[in-house]
Amino acid sequence: MPEGDTVWQTAKRLHTALAGRTLTRTDFRVPKYATVDLTGRTVLDVTPRGKHLLTRIEGGLTLHSHLGMEGSWKVYADQQRWTGGPAHQIRVILAAAPDTEAPDARPARTAVGYRLPVLDLLRTTEEHNTVGHLGPDLLGPDWDPDRALANLLTDPARPIGEALLDQRNLAGIGNVYKSELCFLLRVTPWLPIGALPAEHTAQLPVLAKKLLEANRDRPVRSTTGRRGQDLFVYGRARRPCLRCTTPIRAADQGDGSRERPTYWCPACQAGPAPSTAPGAASHRRAQHRTTN
């Protein structure tokens, strides 16, 4: 599932493949940009911002994309078979010329965006209109744990899981890290963030950054450090907890407008959960929308 670490890896691959090269072909397969042709322009850089990707192109343009739940960018060499999905799922193609002046004589590369729910071409000077609302980026140069913590605590009654997913508080957390962080802190994702013990509250942004940094260069995400048991709770419904053997539980969290699968151990993690949460909790959650 694409989260901050996945987006960071994607940006690194795209930057390596495209930055400093001239585009030899662009093919936008979304109606809004069907006639756009960026051939002849140079790709300047590819930068991640939370869960967003910003591909900056000569002429003051930025191609903004978001992976959503199922999107991906793939990079292919000449004559390599494209394996990211059927052709009708392709949203954009960016082909770059070989870099014969580089010390390693980089060959031509083609970047293909599949199933991208968000794809916008905008002026680079207007990037703030798209990502300016985001909180500190856990893997970015703007990371500020104190600001992130202050953002999270703005609404003390908000469930911690929802606060972590709100990208306006801190950018990069998704359903996987939400569930894993709550397990490591031994609280349920439905616990009001203001009720989190003080020592855990201060630890939260630090631990979040530690997890994402540890995984940004890994091909397989791991929060446990155990081979073959990569995650503590996410995706492990009905399987035994790695800490106490109690079966892991799963439920959706939020107002129902988006799929928010959430996993927790009912024995190891203290706090309300769907079967025991006060009746007002569901009303409270419905008042919040997570902003990506």
Side-chain angles (χ1 to χ4, degrees):
M1 182 175 295
E3 300 195 18
D5 53 346
T6 304
V7 174
W8 192 92
Q9 292 175 12
T10 300
K12 184 179 179 181
R13 287 196 304 272
L14 290 173
H15 184 86
T16 300
L18 302 177
R21 302 197 195 198
T22 301
L23 293 171
T24 57
R25 175 194 176 194
T26 62
D27 183 357
F28 289 85
R29 300 185 180 181
V30 292
K32 186 176 181 180
Y33 303 112
T35 61
V36 170
D37 185 3
L38 302 179
T39 300
R41 298 181 188 239
T42 300
V43 176
L44 304 179
D45 67 79
V46 183
T47 298
R49 181 71 174 90
K51 298 182 185 180
H52 300 250
L53 285 161
L54 302 172
T55 302
R56 299 182 179 118
I57 301 169
E58 180 185 15
L61 296 176
T62 294
L63 181 62
H64 164 237
S65 59
H66 193 290
L67 301 181
M69 295 287 285
E70 300 179 348
S72 68
W73 278 94
K74 303 292 184 180
V75 175
Y76 301 104
D78 276 353
Q79 310 304 318
Q80 184 178 359
R81 180 171 173 266
W82 293 3
T83 58
H88 72 266
Q89 293 182 347
I90 294 175
R91 298 293 175 262
V92 62
I93 300 170
L94 302 176
D99 186 357
T100 56
E101 297 182 2
D104 55 353
R106 295 183 300 166
R109 289 289 183 263
T110 299
V112 183
Y114 292 89
R115 300 172 298 278
L116 300 174
V118 175
L119 189 68
D120 292 310
L121 190 64
L122 55 140
R123 304 298 303 180
T124 301
T125 55
E126 297 176 353
E127 287 180 1
H128 63 278
N129 293 330
T130 299
V131 297
H133 67 285
L134 298 174
D137 187 340
L138 283 153
L139 295 177
D142 70 320
W143 173 244
D144 183 340
D146 294 332
R147 182 180 157 213
L149 184 58
N151 291 345
L152 287 167
L153 293 175
T154 299
D155 184 354
R158 193 174 191 185
I160 184 173
E162 293 184 25
L164 286 170
L165 287 183
D166 191 333
Q167 303 299 292
R168 296 169 296 186
N169 292 332
L170 69 173
I173 296 292
N175 292 314
V176 177
Y177 283 115
K178 172 193 74 174
S179 297
E180 295 295 295
L181 280 167
C182 288
F183 177 82
L184 291 170
L185 295 174
R186 293 180 176 264
V187 297
T188 70
W190 290 271
L191 182 77
I193 193 164
L196 190 66
E199 64 272 19
H200 293 337
T201 302
Q203 183 187 10
L204 179 55
V206 177
L207 181 58
K209 181 174 178 60
K210 181 179 179 180
L211 287 182
L212 265 73
E213 279 194 331
N215 283 287
R216 68 181 182 182
D217 292 315
R218 288 176 176 166
V220 178
R221 181 183 291 143
S222 175
T223 59
T224 66
R226 307 179 187 182
R227 181 174 295 180
Q229 296 176 324
D230 300 314
L231 302 174
F232 284 109
V233 291
Y234 189 86
R236 302 189 68 249
R238 296 182 296 278
R239 297 173 63 186
C241 172
L242 298 181
R243 182 187 286 150
C244 74
T245 74
T246 300
I248 299 299
R249 294 184 59 189
D252 283 331
Q253 183 176 28
D255 61 7
S257 63
R258 302 184 185 186
E259 185 180 356
R260 298 298 189 191
T262 304
Y263 298 80
W264 79 102
C265 173
C268 285
Q269 295 173 250
S275 61
T276 59
S282 60
H283 173 71
R284 179 76 188 171
R285 292 194 296 272
Q287 294 178 336
H288 295 282
R289 295 294 298 273
T290 301
T291 300
N292 284 324

